[in-house]
Amino acid sequence: MDFEDMRENGNREPHGWMRLLPILAAVLIILVILGVMAAQRGHGAEEEQPGQSAAESVTDPEEGSVGDDSARADDAEGNPAPEGNGAAGAAGNGTPGTEGADHAGEETDPQEPSRQEQGSQVDVKQLLVSDRVQEQARVTVGIDVSRYQGTVDWSQVAESGIDFAMIRAGYRSAQEDREIYADTNARYNMQEAQAAGIQVGVYFFSTAATEEEARKEARWVADCISQYQITYPVAFDCEGYEREDSPLYALDITQRTDIALAFLDEIYRQGYTPMFYGSSYAMSGSNHWDMERIEQSYKVWVSQYPALPYPQTERSSYQGSHAMWQYTNQGSVPGIGQPVDVNVAYFGYDETAGAVNGQAPDQAYADVEALMNFREVNETVTAKESTNLRNMPSQGRESSVLWTLQNGEAALRTGISDSGWSRLVYQEQVCYAVSNLLTTDLTYHVPDPTPEPADDGLKTKFTDCNELMTAKIETNLRALPSVTNPDAAVVATIRYGDVVVRTGINTDVGWSRVEYGGQVLYCVSSYLTAAPAQGVE
């Protein structure tokens, strides 16, 4: 290439670059626009993130009834509800919770980040879960029960479609003895639920005031349930700690939480999946428990009752991480004669866990006194006349007569219920009789029957009187004090102003005995009134 060519080429280059300038400018403008749009999208995502993270934090809204005496309900504005009895039992009895009802639907928009409380971020894969059975992510429906549901017919419960049952294993007394007691129907309920094909979990109502007491409770529970197939979690339930007579009254949130964690950690060490139970109010904002610490390692079971139950209300309004949701304490389930707590769990199991202890448990029997309070006594009684001795304190079809106790025959009475039943020991067997048919007077004799009066031979007895009466408007006078007896024919009809002499009155059945036209007759007392004075000469 010669110089001229070089010059020509050199003169052309600037003109080529100039032709590219509009293209470069357009590309630059496009990049700026895309950058602005990306920034706007990022800002919008930041605004929406609180609502999204709150929804994601509800890893397992499964809830179980394990309360005893703490309130488990908040109103729609998040205000605490007054404390009350737990789901399945009375205060201090360790029955899984009873939360009050929320207002119909939450007034706050669950997607509105400004009003939505954020739960702790939890990796559910890091929660402490027993490896004895593989857990599946799905919705299952269950109940929680204690002795306060009475004798449960578990075959009927299974037929109703219930997947699992959280059964109260026991409780620690809040009184001076501070002893641990088994729920009187715990073993029967575990045995029968398991036999009916219902998967079982348990809860314990704790009043542990120290970490060591909590670990002792957990070891007691593990021993109690070791011979049963416990597939669902073992839950810690602690309520009533704000009452002045509670052993936990002086403890702060940190101390209470340390106690709960001690129980849950020991349960995990014993080979079971631990779970923490609490009311929505107690857990929200760590009002009563340090939920950030609890949620990091353990499943949570929340008690919160919406005005419309599940599935009309799809999720609990509690915003913290939770795996089970107790959504009502007024469930009606075939086979259970009392209201029962109902729960939704956000997990389930394809298989049933085996028992930790391979030794078969002894046969368990229902506590027939579960719904009654018996005052313990030790005295000898006899029948006033004769009375049936039954296998349970009931005259229903489910009870049977074992013997008939006659007057003069003795039995040992060991308990008296305020429901009108006595617990007896007769022929070395526990049985029950109606209390008012018994007496401690072993010399008691049946009184001779009072001879019937020879006047009219009627069973209706009248108190004698002597007064002038007349009909308020009009009334029939009958041969007998009855409107159904065919012999109680209408003999006469009197109207206002016709005077009769009332010689007797019965206030129990409402009849009067009168004399009219030389006959003794009867009429309904409410149809009579005092005769006017001017009618008497």
Side-chain angles (χ1 to χ4, degrees):
M1 178 181 293
D2 58 18
F3 176 76
E4 291 293 329
D5 290 333
M6 291 177 62
R7 185 177 65 177
E8 182 178 350
N9 290 337
N11 291 335
R12 282 197 209 108
E13 274 185 78
H15 294 290
W17 284 107
M18 290 179 65
R19 286 196 297 270
L20 293 174
L21 285 177
I23 297 174
L24 294 173
V27 170
L28 181 61
I29 292 171
I30 291 172
L31 290 174
V32 171
I33 293 173
L34 291 175
V36 171
M37 292 175 63
Q40 289 177 340
R41 283 197 302 270
H43 179 66
E46 291 176 359
E47 289 180 340
E48 295 175 1
Q49 185 175 356
Q52 295 169 350
S53 63
E56 292 168 357
S57 70
V58 184
T59 52
D60 280 325
E62 106 184 4
E63 166 193 37
S65 140
V66 346
D68 176 311
D69 46 26
S70 286
R72 296 182 173 74
D74 310 324
D75 63 22
E77 298 300 327
N79 298 317
E83 288 199 352
N85 292 338
N93 292 315
T95 310
T98 51
E99 239 184 27
D102 284 354
H103 292 304
E106 290 293 328
E107 295 179 3
T108 56
D109 185 348
Q111 298 298 318
E112 185 178 349
S114 62
R115 298 186 62 183
Q116 198 169 50
E117 181 181 351
Q118 302 302 301
S120 302
Q121 294 295 327
V122 175
D123 182 356
V124 296
K125 294 181 180 179
Q126 301 303 316
L127 297 181
L128 297 181
V129 176
S130 169
D131 59 2
R132 293 186 302 115
V133 63
Q134 185 63 40
E135 182 178 296
Q136 305 294 329
R138 63 169 180 262
V139 174
T140 54
V141 177
I143 57 176
D144 55 86
V145 299
S146 70
R147 72 181 186 91
Y148 295 100
Q149 274 66 53
T151 301
V152 175
D153 185 335
W154 286 100
S155 61
Q156 289 191 48
V157 174
E159 291 173 0
S160 73
I162 292 297
D163 299 308
F164 68 91
M166 298 295 292
I167 294 169
R168 185 175 75 155
Y171 61 96
R172 181 190 287 275
S173 171
Q175 306 306 316
E176 294 180 0
D177 65 3
R178 307 284 290 124
E179 292 296 324
I180 296 174
Y181 295 93
D183 183 284
T184 55
N185 265 337
R187 289 180 171 82
Y188 174 81
N189 282 334
M190 289 188 289
Q191 167 188 284
E192 296 302 310
Q194 175 181 309
I198 295 174
Q199 293 182 324
V200 175
V202 301
Y203 69 91
F204 181 83
F205 187 82
S206 171
T207 60
T210 67
E211 293 177 46
E212 181 52 39
E213 283 188 344
R215 283 188 284 268
K216 182 178 179 180
E217 290 176 350
R219 290 191 292 269
W220 182 93
V221 172
D223 181 66
C224 174
I225 66 178
S226 64
Q227 295 174 295
Y228 299 92
Q229 297 173 337
I230 306 302
T231 305
Y232 273 72
V234 176
F236 171 87
D237 173 29
C238 178
E239 305 170 42
Y241 40 76
E242 291 187 299
R243 296 199 303 264
E244 291 186 6
D245 60 348
S246 169
L248 289 76
Y249 180 70
L251 303 183
D252 59 25
I253 292 176
T254 299
Q255 292 170 316
R256 279 199 303 271
T257 302
D258 288 342
I259 291 170
L261 293 175
F263 179 99
L264 297 169
D265 182 63
E266 185 63 32
I267 286 296
Y268 180 70
R269 291 175 185 273
Q270 296 291 331
Y272 300 98
T273 297
M275 184 165 66
F276 177 85
Y277 172 88
S279 72
S280 175
Y281 172 72
M283 296 190 296
S284 294
S286 291
N287 284 333
H288 294 169
W289 303 93
D290 186 346
M291 295 309 299
E292 185 174 355
R293 296 170 61 197
I294 293 173
E295 291 173 356
Q296 291 303 317
S297 299
Y298 303 106
K299 288 181 179 294
V300 172
W301 178 11
V302 63
S303 171
Q304 181 265 322
Y305 303 162
L308 294 177
Y310 176 88
Q312 291 93 326
T313 299
E314 186 176 358
R315 281 185 176 270
S316 166
S317 61
Y318 174 63
Q319 295 302 311
S321 173
H322 55 287
M324 190 179 289
W325 171 30
Q326 181 187 74
Y327 65 85
T328 183
N329 63 350
Q330 295 296 314
S332 177
V333 176
I336 303 179
Q338 305 294 319
V340 65
D341 299 335
V342 187
N343 309 276
V344 173
Y346 297 92
F347 60 92
Y349 304 91
D350 290 335
E351 299 178 353
T352 297
V356 171
N357 182 341
Q359 183 178 358
D362 293 335
Q363 177 74 22
Y365 298 94
D367 176 15
V368 297
E369 299 179 11
L371 299 178
M372 298 183 181
N373 294 316
F374 278 82
R375 174 173 55 88
E376 299 300 315
V377 298
N378 190 332
E379 56 193 14
T380 303
V381 296
T382 188
K384 292 179 179 177
E385 296 186 37
S386 66
T387 185
N388 290 328
L389 306 184
R390 296 177 174 270
N391 64 332
M392 63 177 61
S394 169
Q395 292 177 322
R397 288 179 298 177
E398 72 280 7
S399 73
S400 58
V401 176
L402 304 176
W403 303 280
T404 299
L405 186 69
Q406 301 293 341
N407 175 253
E409 297 177 342
L412 176 64
R413 178 157 62 185
T414 60
I416 301 176
S417 169
D418 53 12
S419 60
W421 285 90
S422 286
R423 184 202 310 125
L424 307 177
V425 176
Y426 184 74
Q427 296 190 9
E428 300 182 353
Q429 185 170 336
V430 175
C431 52
Y432 301 86
V434 176
S435 296
N436 63 11
L437 300 180
L438 301 171
T439 177
T440 56
D441 181 3
L442 303 183
T443 64
Y444 182 89
H445 294 290
V446 180
D448 295 331
T450 303
E452 293 290 336
D455 51 348
D456 55 12
L458 298 174
K459 292 183 179 180
T460 304
K461 303 305 174 187
F462 292 89
T463 301
D464 291 336
C465 61
N466 192 325
E467 50 193 2
L468 299 179
M469 309 295 290
T470 187
K472 290 180 178 178
I473 301 176
E474 179 181 280
T475 185
N476 292 326
L477 304 183
R478 295 178 175 271
L480 295 173
S482 171
V483 294
T484 58
N485 190 325
D487 294 330
V490 176
V491 177
T493 299
I494 62 171
R495 295 172 178 78
Y496 181 77
D498 296 333
V499 177
V500 297
V501 178
R502 179 157 62 184
T503 61
I505 186 170
N506 182 301
T507 57
D508 294 329
V509 294
W511 283 88
S512 288
R513 183 182 63 216
V514 300
E515 291 182 0
Y516 181 75
Q519 299 183 75
V520 175
L521 303 172
Y522 303 89
C523 66
V524 176
S525 298
S526 61
Y527 294 164
L528 296 177
T529 185
Q534 60 269 28
V536 180
E537 296 181 357

